[in-house]
Every structure is written in structure tokens, then in C-alpha cells.
Amino acid sequence: PKLMPAWQLCAVANLRRRIWASKRFAESGAKKLEELHLVRKCEDDKGDKDDIDAFSQSDAKTVATTSLHSEAGNESVSRDADVHSEQSYSELLTDATAADESLQRILARLQDESAQLSPLRERLFNTVRDAAKEALGENFERMTLVGSVALQIDIPASDVDAVTFTTRAVDGIQALHATAAALREQEPTLNVQVIATARVPILIVSTADHAVRMDMSVNQKLPDEHARWVGDLQIFREEQQIARDFLRSVKYWHSQRQIPGTKEGGYPALAWLFLALHVLTVHAKGTSWSSQRPLKLLKEFFTLMDTDSRDGAAMTSKLTSWCAPPTWRTQGFWPFPSIQDPVTNAKNMTNSGAPQGAHYLTHEIPAATQLLYAAEFRRAQVLIAAAERTGSSIAPLFEP
């Protein structure tokens, strides 16, 4: 595919630095990548411009391009004679396997670190539940674990999310304050704070060293229904390990790279989860899961918005009930799919089976955020292709 001239990439990178200057960054990662010959600086020379500057700062996500033609296709294993003349197919397969193994080691480490935090998380959950029971008395019905911890796709940085349900309607903010008061009396070492002005008021509780944090809301049914819906997906039930490995790797990338969320003018974390679930579901159709690997799914995830998919027909063959081609709401220059909330939309179905006011998780976002997202996906494509080609570690994909 035709790539942007180097000077255009520099201009986009400079624009990104001005807009997102508040993000912390360092030059060490960029220098390291230059040493590995994975990227090169933007230059004014008129020589070969085929190589692009994948990053101008390692963790500032500075490089963006309005075209998401996959460079991975240029750098990954090819069947043409030119590639075979340089390297045998078996050697290429070995390199790809090495990249896979490096991802598996990262996932094993994340799972191990989360397991070490599990006793602390469970203790904190039980402590907050006991305080809610005391504060609400007979009105307390149950406290339910939701979010990534409930789905077992959490990473060490994940918060514990929970919802307290009551037997009858109560003032949610008052219930949070009552629970906070009980906690301060029972466990004075805990950090306790009520956020009453948020769209969904929550109680934030963390250990004294902030190693574990828990967010509790009151009578919020949707988070519980989302967790149940994901857990009931056929692909999630039948292929739990690879599904969880893939979803955990996406969540880790999202966290490490500080991908802008709703507060920063981007998409909510739930939209990214459903996009990843879309990739899982599409691959489940007519595919032998014995041949699937988390790295292969990651490649599919990061190439999903290639510009070849800009026309609706190209994406129509890869649809799910909650993920569709871009609409006017999200088209922009970066074709992020229109993602609907399958739980909310199922509730809004009319008798005829048609949705009554579809609820979208994606929305129109600023051009600067689109540039940043495009830069992150392009960066991921380049790093995955390089790791597969050279047999190097996939760790740079997750570097902050």
C-alpha cells in the first residue's frame, strides 16, 4: 500500500505532541527502536521514503496516519519467491513461534501477578460487603463482582468492580455514604472516598498502600448484565483459555498505552471489550481453534480498521449483532466500527424484533483522538510484524 510521505508523518506527530502534551513521554524507547532498525527518524532527504517513522516518542503515541493499510502485510511471512530466497519457510515459522512464546510469557506473568493479588482483592471485597450489610441492614440483598475481575481477564492494575443490590429502592448516594461511614469505623487504615457527582456515583476503597482498589456502585444492573452476557457467549464458554488470554492482552495494551477513554474524549473501555469479542466471534466461525493463538488474534484486532475495510461491503462478511461498519456517527477518517450495546438493545426490542432506539457505545470523537487511535493501531501492526519476522519479543507492544 502507498504510505504517507515522511514529512506528513512528522507533521502529524508534531500535531499530536501539541494536543496531547500533558501525557508523559520519554525518548529512550524511540532510540531503542532506532537501534533495532524498526523505525527511523523523519528526514528532509529525498531518498527512499518507503520506511515510515512508527513513533517519534516511545510512549507519547505521537505517530498517526489517516491510512491504516497494514504494514504488517508487507513485513509478515510471505509466500512469494523473494521471501523464500532470503529465509526458508521453516525459519520464518520458528520466528513467528518465538514471538508467540514471548506473548505467552507476558500473559503468564500477568496471570501470576494477578493471582498474588487475589487474596487481597477477596479480603477487600468481603470487608466492603460486610460494611454494606451493616449500613443497609434489611435492605441489603447482595453484592456482585463485575468487570474484568469477574470475567477473569484482569491485569495487576485492574480495579475490583462490584455492585450492591438492595431489596427495595434506596437513595444510592446515601447508601454509599452510609457504607463509607461503616468502613471508616471498621477499617480505619483503608482509603475511603465517595464520588457523588459522577454519572454513576461510586464508593472508592483502596488499601493503605494503594495496592488494591475497589469501586462499588448501588443498584446498577447493567454492569452485572454485561458480565453475564459475556460469560454466556458460546466462544467464551467453549474456548475459555484462549479467549481470556486474548482479552487480557488487549486490556493490558489498553492500560499500558494509556488509550484515551470517555473522560479524554475517546471510547469507553466497554467498547474496546466488545470490539475484541467481535474478533473472537468472527474467528470462531469455520475455524479450528486448535490452530488459534493469542498473537494471531491480536494481529486481526489491530488490522480490523485497515482502509480496505472502509467500504461497508468489505466489513459486511465479518459482522456480529453488536459490531457493524462505520456509520455517520463514527466515520471520520478512521473507520472504527459502530458498536452497539447488545444488552441494552436486547431490552429495547419491540414485538416485531426490531430495536427501539439502538444504544451505541461508540460516538463521534475529536480528530485529535482519531489520530491518536490510528497511531496506536499502526504502531501495533509494525511491532507485531517485526516480532514475527525477527523472532524477537513482543514486549515493545506493551511498553508505556
Side-chain angles (χ1 to χ4, degrees):
K2 185 178 180 180
L3 300 178
M4 295 178 66
W7 68 267
Q8 288 184 345
L9 288 170
C10 284
V12 171
N14 290 334
L15 171 65
R16 188 249 172 264
R17 280 197 293 272
R18 291 197 297 271
I19 295 175
W20 295 91
S22 61
K23 290 283 187 180
R24 59 186 177 82
F25 62 88
E27 296 181 355
S28 58
K31 291 179 179 178
K32 178 180 178 181
L33 288 166
E34 288 169 24
E35 292 171 0
L36 293 172
H37 305 289
L38 297 181
V39 298
R40 73 184 205 184
K41 294 182 179 179
C42 297
E43 299 172 352
D44 293 328
D45 63 279
K46 298 182 180 180
D48 180 39
K49 299 296 184 180
D50 289 338
D51 294 328
I52 65 169
D53 178 4
F55 336 88
S56 61
Q57 298 291 349
S58 66
D59 75 335
K61 313 176 208 47
T62 52
V63 178
T65 172
T66 57
S67 171
L68 283 181
H69 283 295
S70 173
E71 184 162 342
N74 290 341
E75 298 188 302
S76 62
V77 176
S78 172
R79 293 185 181 272
D80 63 31
D82 290 336
V83 172
H84 280 291
S85 65
E86 296 177 5
Q87 194 173 21
S88 70
Y89 181 76
S90 61
E91 289 173 331
L92 289 171
L93 184 61
T94 300
D95 287 345
T97 303
D100 265 310
E101 290 175 350
S102 73
L103 178 58
Q104 290 292 354
R105 287 193 295 272
I106 291 172
L107 290 170
R109 176 177 58 80
L110 291 175
Q111 193 167 356
D112 182 60
E113 291 178 2
S114 289
Q116 292 178 29
L117 291 172
S118 184
L120 282 175
R121 288 171 169 172
E122 184 177 358
R123 192 179 309 133
L124 184 62
F125 178 88
N126 291 336
T127 299
V128 176
R129 183 182 58 190
D130 292 344
K133 280 183 179 179
E134 179 181 328
L136 296 172
E138 294 181 354
N139 280 339
F140 180 86
E141 179 184 322
R142 61 189 169 94
M143 180 181 288
T144 302
L145 195 64
V146 297
S148 61
V149 176
L151 294 171
Q152 298 179 44
I153 60 171
D154 54 293
I155 60 176
S158 296
D159 297 334
V160 178
D161 297 311
V163 181
T164 292
F165 292 95
T166 58
T167 55
R168 62 180 182 180
V170 298
D171 185 308
I173 295 178
Q174 288 185 3
L176 293 175
H177 279 295
T179 304
L183 273 172
R184 293 187 181 104
E185 183 176 347
Q186 294 175 7
E187 298 287 344
T189 60
L190 293 176
N191 302 298
V192 180
Q193 182 183 12
V194 174
I195 307 297
T197 57
R199 184 178 62 83
V200 177
I202 59 172
L203 169 66
I204 300 176
V205 185
S206 62
T207 55
D209 58 358
H210 300 281
V212 176
R213 166 178 153 165
M214 176 173 166
D215 296 347
M216 186 198 86
S217 59
V218 176
N219 289 333
Q220 295 294 318
K221 295 182 180 180
L222 208 51
D224 185 32
E225 291 170 346
H226 281 141
R228 292 175 183 273
W229 186 89
V230 173
D232 287 340
L233 281 176
Q234 182 178 354
I235 182 60
F236 202 80
R237 294 197 313 269
E238 295 180 355
E239 302 293 339
Q240 289 189 8
Q241 189 56 53
I242 191 170
R244 285 181 173 135
D245 282 348
F246 169 58
L247 295 176
R248 182 177 282 114
S249 63
V250 172
K251 183 173 180 62
Y252 187 50
W253 163 81
H254 188 278
S255 173
Q256 288 291 95
R257 297 298 298 169
Q258 301 179 44
I259 304 300
T262 307
K263 292 181 180 179
E264 295 81 26
Y267 297 134
L270 195 60
W272 296 98
L273 172 63
F274 281 126
L275 181 62
L277 287 169
H278 165 76
V279 172
L280 271 175
T281 304
V282 168
H283 269 272
K285 298 177 180 177
T287 302
S288 171
W289 277 98
S290 61
S291 64
Q292 294 303 310
R293 310 180 313 274
L295 187 58
K296 184 176 181 180
L297 292 170
L298 272 181
K299 283 180 63 176
E300 177 67 20
F301 179 82
F302 288 116
T303 58
L304 192 63
M305 269 71 71
D306 276 1
T307 47
D308 288 341
S309 301
R310 277 187 182 276
D311 73 39
M315 290 186 66
T316 302
S317 61
K318 293 185 176 182
L319 297 184
T320 50
S321 60
W322 63 90
C323 187
T327 65
W328 62 270
R329 291 178 176 84
T330 58
Q331 179 63 55
F333 62 82
W334 190 55
F336 197 92
S338 296
I339 299 178
Q340 300 180 20
D341 186 338
V343 174
T344 303
N345 291 343
K347 291 181 177 181
N348 294 340
M349 285 297 219
T350 62
N351 293 332
S352 63
Q356 186 178 26
H359 177 69
Y360 286 87
L361 294 172
T362 50
H363 51 83
E364 190 172 359
I365 60 175
T369 308
Q370 292 186 46
L371 283 170
L372 193 149
Y373 283 169
E376 283 300 312
F377 271 60
R378 180 55 131 183
R379 172 186 183 273
Q381 290 175 18
V382 172
L383 289 176
I384 291 174
E388 288 191 321
R389 186 182 69 251
T390 63
S392 56
S393 172
I394 200 66
L397 175 65
F398 303 104
E399 288 180 353

